């Protein structure tokens, strides 16, 4: 049972470099999400995709772009990394339209920007 | 806007002690409420949920009751174990169902 798989698990970047965080789910979920987790801040939504072909901004979208490649995959791109983007990034998925359905999370990508 | 407030930690308990982690929320309508747990180095796992007033969610000895009159969803466990040491997040899903709104998390440390 893979669930939600994120790659890479760890990454160190230099300021100004770009990279893409990958996420794939095998639960046939319609909705996918990207969060960042910072100490004392809980999790904050960056972008979400309610269904294949749609994406919407969350609470903290600046500096990020996303692509919903197909139903399974949802990637997060940092075009020009900044130290403020040092964080742990979590991808999640859930059934669409069901308010009481929980989200399933990956194990996270720990990103450091020097 | 919608928000979740949880008690700040860390919470430090001895094994077999009683646990309460307070959670209150602000939301329009009737959100669904969740508790997630995060063990060191891992992602978040759903612990329990409740979808309407007076519902009680339970799992692994943990319980929480959806109290609309006090807008609360406090997490309780009668006898904690060392293996319960983790960070606990209270969250709500609004009526639009677009995403979860999380509290800041409460770190629980249980010693033997």
């Amino acid at each position: 049972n893979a669930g939600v798989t994120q790659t890479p698990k760890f990454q160190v970047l230099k300021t100004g470099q770009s990279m893409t965080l990958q996420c794939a789910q095998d639960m046939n979920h319609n909705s996918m999400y990207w969060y960042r987790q910072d100490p004392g801040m809980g999790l904050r939504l960056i972008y979400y995709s309610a269904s294949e072909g749609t994406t919407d901004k969350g609470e903290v979208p600046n500096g990020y772009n996303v692509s919903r490649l197909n139903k399974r995959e949802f990637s997060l791109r940092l075009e020009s990394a900044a130290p403020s983007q040092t964080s742990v990034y979590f991808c999640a998925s859930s059934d669409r339209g069901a308010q009481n359905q929980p989200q399933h999370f990956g194990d996270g990508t720990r990103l450091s920007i020097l | 806007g919608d928000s979740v407030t949880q008690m700040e930690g860390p919470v430090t308990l001895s094994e077999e002690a009683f646990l309460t982690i307070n959670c209150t929320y602000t939301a329009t309508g009737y959100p669904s409420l969740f508790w997630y747990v995060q063990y060191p180095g891992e992602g978040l796992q759903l612990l329990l949920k409740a979808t309407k007033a007076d519902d009680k969610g339970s799992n692994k000895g943990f319980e929480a009751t959806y109290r609309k009159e006090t807008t609360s969803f406090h997490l309780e466990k009668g006898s904690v174990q060392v293996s319960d040491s983790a960070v606990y997040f209270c969250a709500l899903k609004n009526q639009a169902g677009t995403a979860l709104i999380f509290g800041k998390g409460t770190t629980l440390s249980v010693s033997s």
Side-chain angles (χ1 to χ4, degrees):
Chain A
N1 291 347
V4 179
T5 303
Q6 293 184 234
T7 55
K9 294 190 183 303
F10 302 93
Q11 185 70 48
V12 179
L13 293 177
K14 294 181 179 178
T15 298
Q17 288 185 316
S18 62
M19 82 160 294
T20 300
L21 280 61
Q22 306 287 353
C23 175
Q25 53 91 9
D26 63 2
M27 295 172 283
N28 202 36
H29 286 163
N30 287 298
S31 299
M32 298 185 72
Y33 311 83
W34 277 105
Y35 293 90
R36 60 179 288 174
Q37 183 181 25
D38 302 294
M41 299 291 290
L43 276 78
R44 294 180 293 170
L45 183 67
I46 304 171
Y47 270 94
Y48 66 97
S49 172
S51 62
E52 188 177 355
T54 69
T55 60
D56 286 284
K57 295 179 180 179
E59 180 184 356
V60 289
N62 291 346
Y64 305 95
N65 286 300
V66 291
S67 296
R68 183 73 183 267
L69 304 170
N70 48 55
K71 191 171 185 178
R72 290 187 63 248
E73 299 173 286
F74 188 39
S75 63
L76 178 72
R77 182 162 179 83
L78 287 69
E79 291 290 351
S80 179
S84 61
Q85 294 177 305
T86 293
S87 189
V88 182
Y89 291 85
F90 288 99
C91 178
S93 69
S94 69
D95 281 338
R96 179 183 64 163
Q99 188 214 14
N100 60 359
Q101 291 303 308
Q103 293 180 8
H104 300 262
F105 286 81
D107 286 340
T109 295
R110 285 149 183 80
L111 181 62
S112 293
I113 300 166
L114 307 177
Chain B
D2 298 347
S3 65
V4 174
T5 302
Q6 5 180 162
M7 62 186 291
E8 293 190 16
V11 175
T12 303
L13 295 174
S14 298
E15 207 165 22
E16 299 184 2
F18 184 86
L19 169 71
T20 300
I21 300 178
N22 290 337
C23 172
T24 57
Y25 68 90
T26 301
T28 55
Y30 301 91
S32 292
L33 301 173
F34 304 85
W35 276 101
Y36 281 82
V37 59
Q38 183 180 33
Y39 298 102
E42 298 184 10
L44 279 71
Q45 303 173 25
L46 177 68
L47 183 59
L48 53 84
K49 70 177 185 180
T51 59
K52 60 183 187 295
D54 300 324
D55 263 3
K56 177 184 283 189
S58 62
N59 186 25
K60 300 180 182 179
F62 290 89
E63 293 182 341
T65 301
Y66 190 143
R67 301 286 189 200
K68 187 154 182 67
E69 64 275 13
T70 55
T71 61
S72 64
F73 192 54
H74 304 322
L75 182 67
E76 297 181 336
K77 186 175 186 182
S79 176
V80 294
Q81 306 300 311
V82 173
S83 57
D84 293 327
S85 298
V87 181
Y88 292 81
F89 291 92
C90 184
L92 70 82
K93 198 169 190 183
N94 57 20
Q95 283 195 289
T98 49
L100 288 169
I101 297 168
F102 286 89
K104 294 183 178 181
T106 302
T107 300
L108 171 65
S109 179
V110 181
S111 58
S112 58

